[in-house]
Every structure is written in structure tokens, then in C-alpha cells.
């Protein structure tokens, strides 16, 4: 039998208090939330080692994974990142000061601009992502390959059903 965890203990308390209430969602969504909170400090520490915060990493990673020529419009960025244009502007200001991006006039429309990664931005986005994936893989040591595949499939199915229901939109987690 598997050892009881934090969520099991919370559910047991609720069963005593509200025995008629089905707390099954806690067994899934509560654990997803808890796992997110448990790994967040490690992820933030990784990005900090590259002089980035999570939001800054999200911007440069989004541009980097788009492929050459490693540039996007601000509208594309804030739509993918699900942040306000003001929030994006703040991140872009910090990234430009750090030398990781350049704002360049759009070749197609001189009234607008695009955000382009610098060589250092490309390098740092990739290095930070590689280190993040290495550490996150370590968090999965308790699961064998088949368990990882099964869990990923179940989470994909759950995320897909929530996206189709419109609860969080199709790009709610583009920060990876």
C-alpha cells in the first residue's frame, strides 16, 4: 500500500467534517497544485542562476522555440504568454537592458516593431532551458519510464478536456 501524503491527510479531515462531500477533485487537482508549489522554488532558482526571473525566461524561451530568425511581435508574445501588453513591456524593458533582446522596426510595417533575441539571448534561453529540464527530470526520479508516460498521457487528456471546455483557453501554459 502506498504511503499517505499531504492531500490524503487533508481529504481525511474533510471526510470527518463533511462526509457527504466527494473530495475526489482534491486527489487530482489538489496534487497538481501541490506539486507545482513544491517544484516552483527549484525552477525559480534555476532561472535565477541565469540572471532571469520566470517571466523573463518565458519571453526569451517563447521567442527561442519559435525558431529562426528568433523574433516575434509584441502582440504574438503577449497572446502566447497570456499577459497584458503592459506586463510584457515591463519584461521587455528588463530584457533589453540585460542585452538579451533588441526591439527592431518591422520590415513589413515601419510603424511597428519586433522583438529579436540577441546572440546572448539565444544562448541564455537554451542554457537555462537545458538546466531546467535536467533538474525537472530529477523531480521525476520516483517514477519509472512507463509511469511517466502514463501520467503524461492522463494529464494531457485532462488538460485537453479543460481547454475544450474553455476554462483556461488553449495556450494557458505556454511558459515552458
Amino acid at each position: 500500500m502506498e504511503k499517505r501524503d499531504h492531500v490524503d491527510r487533508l481529504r481525511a479531515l474533510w471526510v470527518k467534517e463533511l462526509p457527504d462531500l466527494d473530495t475526489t477533485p482534491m486527489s487530482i487537482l489538489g496534487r497538481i497544485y501541490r506539486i507545482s508549489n513544491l517544484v516552483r522554488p527549484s525552477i525559480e532558482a534555476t532561472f535565477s542562476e541565469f540572471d532571469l526571473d520566470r517571466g523573463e525566461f518565458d519571453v526569451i524561451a517563447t521567442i527561442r522555440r519559435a525558431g529562426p530568425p528568433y523574433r516575434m511581435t509584441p502582440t504574438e508574445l503577449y497572446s502566447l504568454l497570456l499577459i497584458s501588453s503592459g506586463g510584457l513591456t515591463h519584461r521587455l524593458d528588463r530584457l533589453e537592458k540585460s542585452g538579451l533582446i533588441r526591439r527592431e522596426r518591422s520590415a513589413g510595417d515601419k510603424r511597428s516593431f519586433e522583438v529579436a533575441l540577441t546572440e546572448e539571448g539565444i544562448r541564455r534561453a537554451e542554457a537555462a532551458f537545458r538546466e531546467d529540464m535536467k533538474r525537472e527530470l530529477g523531480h521525476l526520479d520516483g517514477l519509472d519510464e512507463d509511469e511517466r508516460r502514463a501520467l503524461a498521457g492522463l494529464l494531457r487528456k485532462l488538460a485537453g478536456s479543460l481547454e475544450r471546455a474553455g476554462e483556461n483557453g488553449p495556450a494557458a501554459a505556454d511558459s515552458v
Side-chain angles (χ1 to χ4, degrees):
M1 183 166 176
E2 292 186 30
K3 186 178 173 186
R4 288 171 37 109
D5 68 358
H6 179 76
V7 173
D8 290 325
R9 290 186 293 274
L10 292 178
R11 287 183 73 200
L13 292 171
W14 278 116
V15 165
K16 289 179 190 174
E17 295 299 314
L18 300 172
D20 62 312
L21 184 64
D22 182 1
T23 61
T24 301
M26 287 180 70
S27 69
I28 299 167
L29 301 176
R31 282 191 178 95
I32 291 170
Y33 181 74
R34 180 145 173 84
I35 290 165
S36 176
N37 285 335
L38 289 170
V39 300
R40 182 178 293 118
S42 169
I43 292 168
E44 290 173 355
T46 299
F47 296 143
S48 180
E49 290 172 17
F50 291 88
D51 293 322
L52 298 165
D53 66 25
R54 178 69 184 253
E56 293 165 340
F57 173 77
D58 288 348
V59 171
I60 65 173
T62 298
I63 300 169
R64 171 61 179 88
R65 74 172 166 255
Y70 307 117
R71 57 190 321 119
M72 299 178 88
T73 67
T75 302
E76 290 171 322
L77 280 168
Y78 72 72
S79 295
L80 286 170
L81 295 170
L82 296 178
I83 60 174
S84 69
S85 61
L88 177 63
T89 298
H90 181 67
R91 291 179 189 181
L92 294 179
D93 289 345
R94 292 191 322 248
L95 290 166
E96 192 169 40
K97 285 178 188 167
S98 299
L100 302 179
I101 63 144
R102 290 182 308 273
R103 290 175 169 128
E104 299 176 346
R105 289 276 174 218
S106 173
D109 180 0
K110 296 296 182 191
R111 295 170 297 162
S112 63
F113 70 94
E114 295 177 325
V115 179
L117 286 179
T118 63
E119 288 298 319
E120 176 60 14
I122 294 168
R123 187 202 65 75
R124 199 170 316 171
E126 183 174 326
F129 185 63
R130 287 181 182 280
E131 184 62 25
D132 181 48
M133 288 297 98
K134 177 180 155 189
R135 290 185 188 179
E136 287 188 31
L137 187 59
H139 294 312
L140 302 177
D141 282 346
L143 302 173
D144 65 32
E145 194 172 326
D146 288 338
E147 290 169 327
R148 291 174 191 183
R149 193 174 303 113
L151 180 58
L154 291 170
L155 291 172
R156 180 183 304 109
K157 185 176 181 178
L158 176 60
S161 71
L162 293 172
E163 288 169 358
R164 283 187 298 281
E167 291 192 22
N168 292 311
D174 275 348
S175 62
V176 174

